[in-house]
Amino acid sequence: MSETKDIREIVRKRYAEAATRASAGDYEEAPVVESSCCGPTPVSLTEPLSLTDQQDRVVFGSDLYGAEATGAPEDAVAASLGCGVPTAVADLHDGEVVLDLGSGAGADILISARRVAPGGRAIGLDMTDEMLELARSNAVKAGVDNAEFLKGYLEDIPMPDASVDVVISNCVINLAADKDVVLAEAARVLRHGGRLAFSDVIADEDMDELTRTDMAEWTGCIAGALTAAEFSQALSNAGFTDIEIRPTHRVHTHAQAAIIRASR
C-alpha cells in the first residue's frame, strides 16, 4: 500500500470512530478519539492529547468558533476539531458556491450555506462514510436545504473544473500525503477569480526530524504540516496568487495554527 493510502486509512479509521461516538451523543469522547488525527501533542510524544495548551488556552475544537457558530447546530460544532474558523475570513456572498475540503460533521458547511443563501450552495467533501452520515443528519437538524455532502478524496475532487467560487478547509490539508496534488485540485475546481480560505497547521522552520518522521504525529496534524515558505510555494506552484499566511496561535512546540488565503 502506498504512503498516501496508508495515511488515508489511518485518518479514515480515526474519524469514523469519532463520528460514531458523536452520532451517539458522546461529544466528550469523540474529540479525544479524533484528536489523535488532528490535535495538539504539546511538548513530548508521551504527553496526552488535549484541546488546550499548557496555559489552558483553547487551540483546537469547537470553543474557537464563538459567535461564528451561528447557523450551525450545536451537535455539528461540538464535533469539530479544527484549528480555526475559515468561514470568518472567507468573505462569503449570496449566490456563491463553496466547497469544504474534509468537511467532517459539517459545521463549516452549514455556516457557509446560510451565508451564501439565497442562490448559493455549500458542498462538503469527506472520505469517511460515518462523517458524511453525521453531516447530512446535522444539515437536516439545521433545516438547511442548500448544502450537500460528497464522498471523495482531496487528491481527486469529484467536481468539474471551474465549478466553485470559494474553497475552504479546517485543519485537514496537513493530513494529506501529497499536498501539491491537493492544492492543484483546489485550483482546478475554482473559477477564475475564485479564492481559497484555509485554517491549518504550519510547521516551524526548525521542526526536528523525529517529529517529522513519526507516523503517530503525522495523524496528529503536526509532522505532516508544511512550513509557511513551503505552503506559499506549493500554492504558487498550483497557480494561486495574493497568498497570505497569517499565524493565529501556537498549537505545538514545533507548529502553529494559521489562516491561509489566496486567489485563483
Side-chain angles (χ1 to χ4, degrees):
M1 187 179 288
S2 69
E3 180 183 56
T4 297
K5 289 183 178 178
D6 285 339
I7 293 170
R8 276 181 184 169
E9 185 59 16
I10 291 169
V11 174
R12 188 199 64 77
K13 286 181 178 178
R14 292 292 188 179
Y15 275 87
E17 185 178 352
T20 299
R21 291 179 182 271
S23 295
D26 190 356
Y27 295 111
E28 292 186 1
E29 187 62 24
V32 174
V33 172
E34 195 176 347
S35 64
S36 60
C37 268
C38 190
T41 308
V43 177
S44 75
L45 300 182
T46 59
E47 292 186 24
L49 292 162
S50 172
L51 301 183
T52 58
D53 64 11
Q54 291 180 315
Q55 286 72 49
D56 204 32
R57 294 172 296 202
V58 174
V59 294
F60 284 86
S62 59
D63 286 349
L64 293 173
Y65 280 81
E68 190 68 16
T70 303
E74 184 177 346
D75 289 353
V77 177
S80 172
L81 203 76
C83 56
V85 190
T87 54
V89 297
D91 190 27
L92 301 176
H93 302 285
D94 296 356
E96 290 187 318
V97 178
V98 184
L99 172 65
D100 183 7
L101 303 181
S103 50
D108 294 322
I109 275 298
L110 298 178
I111 294 169
S112 298
R114 295 191 187 280
R115 300 267 173 90
V116 299
R121 290 189 300 143
I123 303 163
L125 176 68
D126 207 281
M127 66 177 178
T128 309
D129 289 325
E130 292 84 352
M131 274 297 181
L132 289 166
E133 182 179 352
L134 179 59
R136 289 169 182 143
S137 173
N138 285 330
V140 171
K141 291 177 184 177
V144 171
D145 60 6
N146 63 330
E148 60 184 290
F149 297 91
L150 305 177
K151 184 175 181 179
Y153 298 118
L154 308 187
E155 299 88 352
D156 187 17
I157 299 173
M159 295 187 65
D161 295 357
S163 56
V164 303
D165 300 294
V166 187
V167 176
I168 64 173
S169 185
N170 197 348
C171 206
V172 172
I173 305 304
N174 53 77
L175 294 173
D178 194 332
K179 296 165 183 61
D180 289 336
V181 173
V182 172
L183 295 176
E185 276 291 275
R188 178 185 66 79
V189 299
L190 274 170
R191 297 184 177 116
H192 180 70
R195 58 198 186 277
L196 170 154
F198 291 166
S199 293
D200 220 298
V201 173
I202 298 296
D204 291 346
E205 295 286 348
D206 62 351
M207 179 182 284
D208 64 280
E209 191 62 26
L210 175 62
T211 301
R212 280 206 175 275
T213 57
D214 189 285
M215 177 59 74
E217 285 272 66
W218 192 311
T219 58
C221 293
I222 305 304
L226 300 175
T227 66
E230 290 169 340
F231 212 129
S232 181
Q233 186 61 57
L235 286 167
S236 180
N237 291 345
F240 287 97
T241 60
D242 304 320
I243 298 166
E244 173 193 358
I245 298 178
R246 176 170 56 84
T248 56
H249 57 280
R250 185 152 290 276
V251 298
H252 185 276
T253 305
H254 302 292
Q256 56 191 329
I259 290 295
I260 300 157
R261 296 195 291 185
S263 301
R264 178 74 173 97

